[in-house]
Amino acid sequence: MGYVEETKELVADPSGVQSRPQSVERVQEESPKAQGTLEIGSLVDGKYKILRVVGRGGMSVVYMAINEKANKTWAIKEARRDGSMNYEAVRQSLSVETKLLKRLHHPNIVSIVDVIEDKDSFLIVMDYIEGNSLKERLEEQGAQPQEDVIKWAKQLCSVLSYLHGLDPPVIYRDMKPANIMLKPDGNVCVMDFGIAREYKQRNREDTVSLGTYGYAAWEQYEGAGGGQTDARTDIYNLGATMFHLVTGVDLTNPHNHIVPIRQINPALSSGLEQIIEKCTMHEKEERYQSCDELLVDLENVDKMDVGYRKKQKVKLTAFLLTAILAVLLLVGGIGTSAAASRQASNNYEELLAQAEISNDYDYQLECYQNAIGVADKAGETEAYLQMIDLFESYYDDDDTFTATEEDILISLITQNEAELMENTEDYVDLCFEVGKLYWYYYDCGEGGENQVTRAKYSVKWFEKVINAVGENGTYDNLGMATVYSEIGNFYKQVAKNITQSEDTGTYAPFFENLSMLMEEIATDTGEKENVRLELCALTQKAMLQYATKFKVDGVAYDDMISLYNQLKSCLETIQTVAGSTPDDTKNEISEALEDTLAAINLAYGL
């Protein structure tokens, strides 16, 4: 539970560079963490039983408490007149925080339920948030996955947009990992409003310059001349927070500064890099001017990546076609639904044709997205299937079905699933191809568990096929969908089954499914090389890892050797380019064959 405050007063560096001011160090030295006075087990206000201390800051102590009658857990923030701090200043700060929080109602902001005050203490009773702060998360794990950072940033943007939209607007001024709680459900919650302030239209500058070194904007530094803090100040703080989260670089260290994030990790998104750079511009006028503007870019970060630049051309073409059609219908008085349907069809086919003759990945992808968006065409699968072919055809270039591509494809399918399901035959074929896309191409990280993880992710799509076809339905690939699904489910359950000693009897069906896939796909010289290689890798690792399990489950030695020989023969028929990724994969499998055969013979006592 990360209820820890780290608010610091800032002074400006005359050069404009945010180097560590000496006064900050004095604040740290002269203001030790507050000491709590509430006893564990004591009852506050006759209803809140103190359980333990969960956080300390220079200003206050936070406890976990329980209302036993309501069976509800709360957090209690305490400030006391004990001589170790300026109590009146702390009390005033907490009073401001209380007044603010009482009028705030947002799912990502902690809520206040009670205030208890006497001459010696000031207590705030608020929601107890399970989880840890993002600061603790960074200390434990380092840099966070950019997908998570973008998700959290969207939620934080929503919080700030809500605050800035109040009358008068509220400026938070202290966004940083320590003030953000990560809940067990993966969502975040903002807390500690101790230095938040209401924006005063007539003020040219803040009365007091407060913030946290490293995350504070230039205008938060005393004497910086940056004017009154406003929404753009919070945007800077959020940008600095995103930088820390996605790079792991601690900005409170005076030697660290905000730089383009891909200088630290080249694998990060260029779109996210642009967003963070714009958030943290020195001049307020050069930053995003509102959180709503920032949120639009966060929602479209993948489209900001380098190379994704032709979207406007296609959108403009589609818009012009629609506008021309509208004018013709209005002037000619021929606004029949049949004519509109024919025009939509022509536009749909035109977009697919444009994609087919182009060699530009980004342009092709945009054509498919626009085709799916054509009225009355969202339920037709041709554009989806061609998009899948595009993702697969670029395997040698980017090695994977990426998270960005996944977001585009799955969001389109989810959005239009009702229309797609109206044609069962086409729908199940689309689901089958999506399942294979996950199985053979999905980007799920480095390491030997890649094929296994891909298999797990693919399961739900093959199960969609099985469920849509039903018990009495027919579909050419139903048998293969069942095989893929059963293998994926095997990998999803195997660790749990082993732990609970319930895995006996699961390996023989797994072996049969592997054998069927090898028979149908790996030996098909017309299948794509990377598909055959992925299946060979999965089979080889399964035989090496589970040879003894297969034997115990009744798989015959001859069947094991037959599958082994099939695997070996398949590798010999796969042609790869020396030095390429497929060639490296083939060599790895080939080098592991000797150990695999030894494991089989050992398992069967030979």
Side-chain angles (χ1 to χ4, degrees), residues 298-413:
L298 286 170
E299 293 284 1
N300 296 279
V301 62
D302 57 311
K303 298 180 182 179
M304 298 174 64
D305 281 338
V306 173
Y308 205 106
R309 293 292 179 265
K310 292 196 175 181
K311 61 180 179 179
Q312 296 302 328
K313 179 179 178 181
V314 177
K315 287 183 177 180
L316 179 59
T317 300
F319 171 77
L320 289 175
L321 286 171
T322 304
I324 292 170
L325 172 61
V327 171
L328 289 173
L329 291 174
L330 179 63
V331 174
I334 56 170
T336 65
S337 59
S341 177
R342 285 195 299 272
Q343 178 64 32
S345 177
N346 292 337
N347 193 20
Y348 182 80
E349 297 300 334
E350 180 183 345
L351 287 167
L352 295 185
Q354 289 174 1
E356 186 175 358
I357 63 176
S358 174
N359 291 320
D360 187 313
Y361 169 88
D362 302 309
Y363 182 74
Q364 290 174 290
L365 181 57
E366 188 63 28
C367 284
Y368 295 136
Q369 290 177 268
N370 283 329
I372 292 169
V374 171
D376 300 327
K377 293 295 180 179
E380 295 195 11
T381 59
E382 185 176 2
Y384 298 93
L385 293 173
Q386 290 189 25
M387 185 184 291
I388 290 171
D389 286 340
L390 176 67
F391 294 156
E392 293 178 351
S393 68
Y394 273 73
Y395 178 87
D396 290 336
D397 290 342
D398 62 20
D399 293 330
T400 55
F401 168 44
T402 67
T404 298
E405 292 169 337
E406 177 191 27
D407 288 342
I408 294 171
L409 177 63
I410 302 308
S411 64
L412 287 171
I413 293 176

Side-chain angles (χ1 to χ4, degrees), residues 110-351:
V110 65
S111 298
I112 280 184
V113 296
D114 206 353
V115 176
I116 305 166
E117 184 177 8
D118 59 31
K119 64 178 182 178
D120 294 318
S121 67
F122 189 96
L123 305 178
I124 304 175
V125 183
M126 66 185 76
D127 287 336
Y128 177 81
I129 308 298
E130 291 285 352
N132 295 312
S133 71
L134 289 183
K135 178 187 176 184
E136 293 170 301
R137 177 96 164 191
L138 283 164
E139 291 170 348
E140 293 172 0
Q141 301 181 6
Q144 298 298 295
Q146 65 182 6
E147 293 80 9
D148 289 343
V149 174
I150 292 169
K151 171 188 171 183
W152 299 333
K154 291 177 185 177
Q155 295 180 10
L156 297 172
C157 216
S158 173
V159 169
L160 294 177
S161 181
Y162 166 76
L163 294 175
H164 301 162
L166 295 172
D167 185 18
V170 171
I171 311 303
Y172 183 64
R173 300 201 297 178
D174 204 22
M175 186 68 72
K176 59 185 178 181
N179 284 347
I180 305 165
M181 294 296 296
L182 179 60
K183 299 188 288 186
D185 63 3
N187 294 316
V188 292
C189 188
V190 177
M191 52 187 308
D192 193 353
F193 280 69
I195 67 168
R197 59 178 286 275
E198 292 181 346
Y199 180 83
K200 296 178 175 60
Q201 191 69 34
R202 296 181 181 179
N203 284 15
R204 297 186 63 185
E205 301 217 0
D206 290 354
T207 303
V208 179
S209 298
L210 289 174
T212 298
Y213 177 85
Y215 304 96
W218 177 60
E219 60 269 18
Q220 290 180 269
Y221 287 78
E222 183 178 341
Q228 185 181 187
T229 53
D230 59 22
R232 296 167 295 181
T233 305
D234 281 342
I235 287 171
Y236 183 101
N237 302 159
L238 177 55
T241 298
M242 284 191 281
F243 174 87
H244 188 178
L245 290 171
V246 82
T247 64
V249 175
D250 185 357
L251 291 173
T252 61
N253 185 322
H255 301 293
N256 295 334
H257 303 281
I258 295 176
V259 298
I261 59 175
R262 291 191 299 165
Q263 288 185 18
I264 299 169
N265 180 358
L268 291 173
S269 160
S270 62
L272 183 58
E273 181 176 83
Q274 293 174 58
I275 289 172
I276 291 174
E277 286 183 353
K278 187 170 181 178
C279 285
T280 55
M281 294 298 289
H282 184 74
E283 300 295 336
K284 289 190 285 188
E285 291 73 20
E286 296 178 0
R287 302 173 201 157
Y288 291 99
Q289 298 301 292
S290 72
C291 284
D292 291 338
E293 181 186 350
L294 169 57
L295 186 58
V296 169
D297 275 1
L298 286 170
E299 293 284 1
N300 296 279
V301 62
D302 57 311
K303 298 180 182 179
M304 298 174 64
D305 281 338
V306 173
Y308 205 106
R309 293 292 179 265
K310 292 196 175 181
K311 61 180 179 179
Q312 296 302 328
K313 179 179 178 181
V314 177
K315 287 183 177 180
L316 179 59
T317 300
F319 171 77
L320 289 175
L321 286 171
T322 304
I324 292 170
L325 172 61
V327 171
L328 289 173
L329 291 174
L330 179 63
V331 174
I334 56 170
T336 65
S337 59
S341 177
R342 285 195 299 272
Q343 178 64 32
S345 177
N346 292 337
N347 193 20
Y348 182 80
E349 297 300 334
E350 180 183 345
L351 287 167

Side-chain angles (χ1 to χ4, degrees), residues 394-467:
Y394 273 73
Y395 178 87
D396 290 336
D397 290 342
D398 62 20
D399 293 330
T400 55
F401 168 44
T402 67
T404 298
E405 292 169 337
E406 177 191 27
D407 288 342
I408 294 171
L409 177 63
I410 302 308
S411 64
L412 287 171
I413 293 176
T414 302
Q415 178 181 346
N416 301 307
E417 194 158 24
E419 291 89 342
L420 288 165
M421 293 179 69
E422 291 178 4
N423 187 325
T424 302
E425 184 176 351
D426 288 348
Y427 174 70
V428 296
D429 194 46
L430 174 61
C431 291
F432 184 76
E433 293 303 324
V434 174
K436 288 180 64 179
L437 185 64
Y438 273 103
W439 185 287
Y440 294 110
Y441 296 92
Y442 188 51
D443 178 13
C444 50
E446 301 291 337
E449 294 300 310
N450 231 7
Q451 296 88 4
V452 171
T453 308
R454 287 173 177 165
K456 294 176 182 177
Y457 271 100
S458 72
V459 167
K460 74 173 184 178
W461 293 97
F462 293 120
E463 289 182 343
K464 283 177 180 284
V465 172
I466 297 167
N467 294 332

